[in-house]
Amino acid sequence: MPITLVVRSGETAIAAPAPPSITFDLPRVVIGRSDGCDLRLPDLSVSQRHATIRQRGSEYIVVDEGSSNGTFIGPVRLHPQSPRIVRNRELIRVGRIWIEIRIEPVAPTNQANLATRELALALVARALDDQGEPARPRLFVSVGPDCTKSLDLSENLRPFVLGRGRDTDFTLDLPEASRRHAQVTRKGDVLLVRDLGSRQGTHGEQGPLPADRDTTIRVGESFIIGSDRFVFEYPAVEALKELERASDEPLAAGDVPPAPSSSDDAADPVDLRGTDLSPALPSATPSPPPSHLPSPSRAPRKPSRSGWTKTDFAVVLLALIVLGLSAVGLLWLFRGS
């Protein structure tokens, strides 16, 4: 059975149409901050390798991998390397981030390794945006007639056409450019560039780019069309690398966000077409605890023992009748002997 991990922490539980989620069909899912994790959470309260969720028969178990700030199911902190069964719709917390577990028959996320990196970049980008810092991926012209123009590449895996034609995504003010000159597609933290059979060609740092296949351009690298030099920029990539290199941040009691409210609505798969996702930060507005977690107001009441009830009197009366009949029987036996 596939397992879906829904990132529920954040301001208003991730300000998006639905909380981001990734569905895995793996015997083990690693949660943490490092690049090699299956669910990558760019938050300093999350350890490099924080916890794992493992399939055991028809069940799933969660195991803390010796994290700095612990793994919690509700209010209970798990002992390192001690497995605990998790059930459908249960909430776990790693550092300051809440994750909802959904064990339901849904299709796994395509290219989950790319999806988890895109999710991490989107969360970092939104956090930088909230701080007023540039974060979104873009293509801009550093030198040339179009040096005031840029192209937002937030939509992952979408092809954008560059050319002189007015129906292109990036219109070039270059007489030497073809109407449809080149195509660029962002795939995570790299840019795929392909010449579309232009007259003058598209040139990379190592020479002309082929028209029959994509050429990979990394962050900070450039390519040339005519007299325009295009540079691929993605500030969130560098920020994510810094988060990976940093040490774990101790989590104070006041930094722990409240558990998000439970929801019966199924979350959509993580939307990687944009970066309009909330950062993995504590919620500013406390949320009520989930309905399936214990609450003091729901503790069962002990029955009252003050005073006798009708049932008590009936039981005592029946006991007296039985004792009386027993005494009569004994007298009858003695007289008969």
Side-chain angles (χ1 to χ4, degrees), residues 51 83 141 167 173 207 247 251 283 294 312 332:
V141 180
D167 59 342
D173 190 17
S247 302
L251 191 60
S283 174
D312 295 332
W332 182 79

Side-chain angles (χ1 to χ4, degrees), residues 54-336:
R54 310 174 190 178
Q55 190 171 15
R56 188 175 66 180
S58 60
E59 299 176 327
Y60 278 96
I61 59 173
V62 61
V63 178
D64 181 83
E65 298 291 343
S67 64
S68 298
N69 290 307
T71 302
F72 293 77
I73 296 183
V76 179
R77 180 169 182 167
L78 305 183
H79 293 289
Q81 303 301 327
S82 297
R84 162 70 156 76
I85 295 176
V86 287
R87 296 175 175 81
N88 187 35
R89 303 279 175 162
E90 197 159 30
L91 290 165
I92 67 172
R93 179 168 64 82
V94 293
R96 63 165 61 92
I97 299 180
W98 287 96
I99 300 170
E100 183 178 351
I101 307 296
R102 295 190 178 178
I103 306 171
E104 299 168 345
V106 295
T109 301
N110 291 329
Q111 296 182 309
N113 58 337
L114 176 62
T116 192
R117 181 166 180 79
E118 183 65 13
L119 172 59
L121 287 170
L123 293 171
V124 172
R126 180 56 186 269
L128 292 175
D129 277 347
D130 290 346
Q131 297 171 15
E133 300 181 20
R136 296 173 182 265
R138 68 172 185 142
L139 183 68
F140 70 95
V141 180
S142 61
V143 177
D146 297 295
C147 63
T148 60
K149 298 179 182 178
S150 65
L151 177 65
D152 190 330
L153 299 173
S154 294
E155 295 187 51
N156 193 47
L157 301 179
R158 176 192 162 179
F160 296 90
V161 176
L162 287 62
R164 191 165 41 85
R166 298 301 174 186
D167 59 342
T168 58
D169 300 291
F170 194 115
T171 304
L172 303 177
D173 190 17
L174 294 170
E176 64 270 32
S178 298
R179 294 185 61 83
R180 293 173 59 86
H181 196 104
Q183 175 182 288
V184 298
T185 305
R186 183 177 67 85
K187 185 177 181 181
D189 58 351
V190 300
L191 189 67
L192 306 179
V193 183
R194 177 180 297 197
D195 184 83
L196 297 179
S198 64
R199 296 188 305 272
Q200 299 295 327
T202 304
H203 298 264
E205 296 180 350
Q206 304 299 324
L209 304 185
D212 59 342
R213 65 180 184 275
D214 294 326
T215 299
T216 299
I217 302 292
R218 302 192 180 279
V219 174
E221 296 180 346
S222 62
F223 63 92
I224 297 172
I225 297 177
S227 53
D228 280 347
R229 177 178 290 273
F230 294 82
V231 179
F232 175 42
E233 180 185 57
Y234 199 171
V237 171
E238 291 303 318
L240 184 59
K241 290 179 180 178
E242 291 180 9
L243 284 170
E244 289 175 354
R245 293 191 293 263
S247 302
D248 294 353
E249 179 184 86
L251 191 60
D255 294 335
V256 177
S261 58
S262 61
S263 173
D264 293 331
D265 298 329
D268 296 332
V270 59
D271 185 358
L272 301 178
R273 294 174 296 175
T275 56
D276 191 19
L277 299 173
S278 176
L281 297 175
S283 174
T285 304
S287 302
S291 59
H292 56 272
L293 293 182
S295 172
S297 62
R298 296 180 183 174
R301 295 182 178 180
K302 295 182 179 181
S304 173
R305 305 303 298 175
S306 60
W308 284 40
T309 64
K310 294 182 179 179
T311 303
D312 295 332
F313 282 113
V315 170
V316 172
L317 181 60
L318 181 60
L320 291 174
I321 293 173
V322 171
L323 288 174
L325 292 175
S326 300
V328 172
L330 288 173
L331 290 174
W332 182 79
L333 286 173
F334 285 129
R335 287 180 179 179

